[in-house]
Amino acid sequence: MGNIEDIVGSLENKIRNVLHKIELLKLENSKLNEELANNKQVLEAQQKQIVSWEERYEALKLANSILGSDDNKRETKLKINALIRDIDYCIAQLSE
């Protein structure tokens, strides 16, 4: 009889340990989900910042090409030619 009580007691202890581990895992899972959500928000903010910096870079590059910096002479000429074509088109539209 004592042997059965020992087995039942051992099973109860093991079940308690498993339930305790389940609770710990649930807590850890909850913390990890919160961390994941925070990281997603940070990533989204960083991606928006990257887009903003890319737009600024393109605007600066365009400004430099219009100003005629030495690095972008060819690009400057192409941009000026495109602007002249646009102006010519507008004049032609107004003439009609």
Side-chain angles (χ1 to χ4, degrees):
M1 200 70 156
N3 196 13
I4 293 176
E5 290 173 359
D6 291 340
I7 293 173
V8 170
S10 174
L11 282 174
E12 286 177 348
N13 284 336
K14 288 179 181 180
I15 290 172
R16 257 189 246 113
N17 287 338
V18 168
L19 291 175
H20 181 69
K21 286 181 182 179
I22 288 173
E23 287 301 316
L24 291 177
L25 289 173
K26 284 181 182 179
L27 288 173
E28 184 179 358
N29 191 29
S30 175
K31 288 178 185 177
L32 289 173
N33 282 331
E34 287 179 25
E35 187 178 335
L36 179 63
N38 290 337
N39 287 340
K40 283 182 180 180
Q41 288 176 347
V42 168
L43 179 62
E44 186 176 314
Q46 288 174 341
Q47 287 174 337
K48 287 179 182 178
Q49 190 175 22
I50 287 171
V51 168
S52 172
W53 282 109
E54 286 174 345
E55 289 172 355
R56 288 181 183 181
Y57 171 72
E58 289 300 321
L60 182 60
K61 195 168 103 176
L62 178 63
N64 281 338
S65 70
I66 290 174
L67 290 175
S69 69
D70 292 337
D71 297 336
N72 299 318
K73 282 188 178 182
R74 181 177 184 281
E75 190 173 329
T76 303
K77 289 178 184 179
L78 292 174
K79 188 58 86 173
I80 290 171
N81 288 337
L83 290 172
I84 290 171
R85 279 192 302 274
D86 288 344
I87 291 170
D88 286 341
Y89 176 75
C90 290
I91 291 170
Q93 292 293 322
L94 291 172
S95 297
E96 293 178 0

